[in-house]
Amino acid sequence: MTVTPLHDFLIPAFQTLPTSTNRSFSHSAPRASRVGAATIAVPPDVNLRLLDPPKRKGIITRVEPPKIIEIEGPLGKASIQLPPFVSYAIDEATRKASLSVLDRKARDQREMWGTTRSYLANHILGVSEGHTAILRMVGVGYRATIEPTAITVKPEYPGQQFVSLKVGYSHPIELGVPMGMKASTPLPTRILLEGINKEVVYSFAASIRRWRVPEPYKGKGIFVNEETIKLKAKKIK
């Protein structure tokens, strides 16, 4: 009995497929993020101090308490907690700060490496130049004012200001400005938010935007910074 060899174009059909289902949609080689290893430029008027964690008397724990970096600049102070596996160093000659981790192969350490570096860079920029958010109000009769008092909201701290919105409701919307932030209205339809903490600034901007989310038919709403929306065709019944 003679065996007829297969033709070359039939060989791939009889080959067994790999059992692994993790197929990549890209042919490029995977590359890890290099955000954590990037250095951070520290302005001359910004000081960074590494504070030791406070010691608790009579409490024994196996978990190492996180260290704290205090950032001080012309606009104020900020602080950030470092995970136990993240180390901090600064070159005073070049004014460059850097972070490192104990094990670069550990996934959780790589993730927190880049996250901690981004937080530190945001705080350095916040205490030196500050973070801003500009809100645009688009709509007939939409406007905003900054008031020293409010009717529907109680102040959370002495001297707190309130953003009063008129965006089509039967009553004004009053929102208290978080501590450490400054709000102003260069135009009746513009709100300028300023602060040293980027997370607080954009969180407050999101709480204002929530009252009139931009809608896609007339393009009305509250827009943050360069936000735009693609208009849809009107529904014809």
Side-chain angles (χ1 to χ4, degrees), residues 79-90:
S79 61
I80 180 176
Q81 289 186 350
L82 292 181
F85 48 81
V86 176
S87 301
Y88 159 79
I90 183 172

Side-chain angles (χ1 to χ4, degrees), residues 46 64 66 70 97 111 156 171 188 195 212:
V46 175
E64 183 181 354
E70 185 181 70
E111 292 173 350
E156 299 177 355
H171 57 87
R212 278 300 178 193

Side-chain angles (χ1 to χ4, degrees), residues 50-56 59-68 81-87 102 109:
L50 183 62
L51 305 179
D52 293 330
K55 297 181 179 180
R56 299 179 180 180
I59 299 178
I60 300 176
T61 178
R62 296 182 179 180
V63 180
E64 183 181 354
K67 297 182 180 180
I68 300 175
Q81 289 186 350
L82 292 181
F85 48 81
V86 176
S87 301
L102 296 178
Q109 296 191 21

Side-chain angles (χ1 to χ4, degrees), residues 132-190:
T132 60
I134 301 176
L135 288 80
R136 298 178 291 110
M137 308 175 66
V138 180
V140 178
Y142 288 9
R143 60 186 183 274
T145 57
I146 307 299
E147 304 293 342
T149 58
I151 301 176
T152 60
V153 182
K154 294 183 180 180
E156 299 177 355
Y157 58 89
Q160 184 181 22
Q161 293 184 328
F162 300 87
V163 178
S164 179
L165 304 176
K166 294 184 179 179
V167 287
Y169 292 92
S170 60
H171 57 87
I173 308 300
E174 297 173 328
L175 302 172
V177 179
M179 182 178 294
M181 274 188 54
K182 179 183 178 182
S184 59
T185 52
L187 296 173
T189 58
R190 298 289 188 275

Side-chain angles (χ1 to χ4, degrees), residues 120-137:
L120 180 59
N122 288 336
H123 284 319
I124 292 176
L125 180 61
V127 299
S128 59
E129 300 179 9
H131 298 285
T132 60
I134 301 176
L135 288 80
R136 298 178 291 110
M137 308 175 66

Side-chain angles (χ1 to χ4, degrees), residues 40-44 46 88-98:
I40 306 172
V42 181
V46 175
Y88 159 79
I90 183 172
D91 188 354
E92 294 293 345
T94 60
R95 300 292 295 176
K96 298 283 186 179
S98 61

